[in-house]
Amino acid sequence: MTLRCRAWRRLLVRGREDREAGEHALGRALWSPQKSKSGGDIYANMRAVKPGDVVLHLTDNIAFTGISVAAEFANDRFRGIDGTDWQGDCFRITLKEFENLNPPLDRDKLFKTEPYATELKELIDGGAKGLFFNSKLDLNQGAYLTEATPTLVSILNRAYQDAAGKPLPMIGREEISEPEASADAEPYSIEDALKTLFLDKQEIEDILLLWTAKKNIVLQGPPGVGKSFAAEKLAFALMEEAERNRVGFVQFHQSYSYEDFVEGFRPTDKGFELKAGKFVQFCRKAEADPNNRYVFVIDEINRGNLSKILGELMLLIESDKRGPNWAMPVASGNVNFHVPPNVYIMGLMNTADRSLAVVDYALRRRFAFIDLKPKISSAKFAAFLAANGIGIDLSSALIGRVAVLNQEIVRDTLNLGPGFAVGHSFFCGKPLASETDTAWYRRIVKTEIAPLLREYWFDTPQRADEWEERLLEGL
């Protein structure tokens, strides 16, 4: 189950008669000014509360003492009560079903007790959206409400169960909600992806369907098929928004480690501190925004020591192992971790790199592998060349000659094969302002294609030289 909005309310009750009894008392209503004394919109979350949202009350900055349900949207025509600090234009939300927490949950049980203290820190460090937090725990001012994400709700519930021997009331009432578009993100569809990718509509639909079902895919192909470029566009199509803030990116290499990816000790001005790695931080951020999809891209996924880097994640990334029920401690043992269901992983793999070992079968079972092939002979590529100012004669020569070269590479199954074909993206850059289209083509062949062929046929260099001549013949 995911949560649309659950509010965590910071409230001073002691000494406030309006909050101790009457229609505006704790558990009967929330109310606050519409602006701070300096004019800031620090009470904006009052407008975000919806009927049915659960409100957990942190009172007098000491303990969580009660839980209730919002009965309505915020009334922005409410006038503050005379004789209080809050007079004038205010927000008011009627509450219902108030229930005292017996026993209450002491604040220090959450903020100063492991594993909850570390989990909260990871949540904050991961950039959780909508969550107000200040490390100065005695601070009485700040956001009147903070959105309690599913991760925070899980932390609160486990802390309360640990302290009281029972779960928080009302935790099971949340309902599944539909994804919400980000206010500052542009919609992005398959049709938008088709404008820039040399894939056809059916190919994109198949990739997105497989990705949705499997959660984890690897785009593999020879150099120059546009894997990195396609990764971002496919991520946007999956998310249905061009939102780069929800796309994470790392590149694996031989020195990349578990400490970089999951968690490890990092130097600070006071020594060393245990910190979450990039993927864990990304997952905490995604878990705090469950109504939207997040995509994590791993470039050169087969260059790292995958078993060493992933560790427990080899289990947790499986599509049917997502969610809190599968949470387990990572290496430090301090905090349970799970991969949220709204995180989608994409690996990128160059099939022409001979220096790499065969991908672990355990990883192959957890990822769907998708081949991206050169689109040299596609109508889209020919149209792209024309749009970039490449003449029809050169365009025809380029397409024909590279296609024949690829046929020979594919037939050479003893040394090469389909994973070594020359991709179209070598020719996706425009000629420089000072270049003719022919000079542009010669530059690419001499500086990019010919060196690649010499690497392919390192034991028969004359074969690479012959193909360089054939590619440039008559030009």
Side-chain angles (χ1 to χ4, degrees), residues 211-245:
W211 200 2
T212 300
K214 192 73 174 179
K215 299 285 189 182
N216 314 309
I217 62 172
V218 169
L219 297 185
Q220 62 178 2
V225 293
K227 295 182 288 294
S228 299
F229 182 78
E232 183 184 64
K233 305 306 178 186
L234 291 172
F236 289 166
L238 181 77
M239 299 188 302
E240 299 182 354
E241 291 181 314
E243 178 53 273
R244 286 181 172 82
N245 289 330

Side-chain angles (χ1 to χ4, degrees), residues 393-394 396-398 401-402 404 438 441-442 445-446 465-475:
D393 292 338
L394 178 60
S396 298
L398 184 163
R401 294 176 188 185
V402 176
V404 174
T438 301
Y441 173 70
R442 291 181 63 85
V445 169
K446 284 186 168 293
D465 293 339
E466 289 171 3
W467 265 106
E468 180 181 356
E469 292 178 6
R470 291 179 63 176
L471 290 172
L472 295 175
E473 185 178 359
L475 298 175

Side-chain angles (χ1 to χ4, degrees), residues 166-304:
K166 57 184 178 181
L168 284 168
M170 306 182 189
I171 287 297
R173 70 166 59 242
E174 56 263 32
E175 297 179 354
I176 295 175
S177 57
E178 295 297 320
E180 296 178 343
S182 302
D184 56 350
E186 296 182 5
Y188 195 92
S189 65
I190 290 176
E191 284 67 30
D192 292 312
L194 285 169
K195 295 175 184 177
T196 53
L197 297 179
F198 294 125
L199 301 172
D200 61 40
K201 186 174 183 179
Q202 188 61 55
E203 287 177 306
I204 295 177
E205 288 178 346
D206 289 346
I207 290 172
L208 296 181
L209 179 63
L210 185 58
W211 200 2
T212 300
K214 192 73 174 179
K215 299 285 189 182
N216 314 309
I217 62 172
V218 169
L219 297 185
Q220 62 178 2
V225 293
K227 295 182 288 294
S228 299
F229 182 78
E232 183 184 64
K233 305 306 178 186
L234 291 172
F236 289 166
L238 181 77
M239 299 188 302
E240 299 182 354
E241 291 181 314
E243 178 53 273
R244 286 181 172 82
N245 289 330
R246 301 209 309 269
V247 179
F249 187 93
V250 297
Q251 186 177 72
F252 281 180
H253 49 77
Q254 286 86 345
S255 298
Y256 206 83
S257 67
Y258 179 92
E259 290 75 17
D260 299 313
F261 199 64
V262 182
E263 72 169 11
F265 285 93
R266 291 286 179 266
T268 68
D269 54 354
K270 297 180 181 179
F272 286 85
E273 183 179 353
L274 185 67
K275 288 186 175 292
K278 288 185 177 180
F279 184 70
V280 170
Q281 288 183 20
F282 185 81
C283 287
R284 299 295 191 200
K285 179 180 177 182
E287 192 178 17
D289 185 22
N291 294 328
N292 287 301
R293 289 175 169 177
Y294 282 66
V295 173
F296 195 83
V297 180
I298 305 172
D299 192 24
E300 305 284 4
I301 190 171
N302 54 334
R303 279 189 171 273

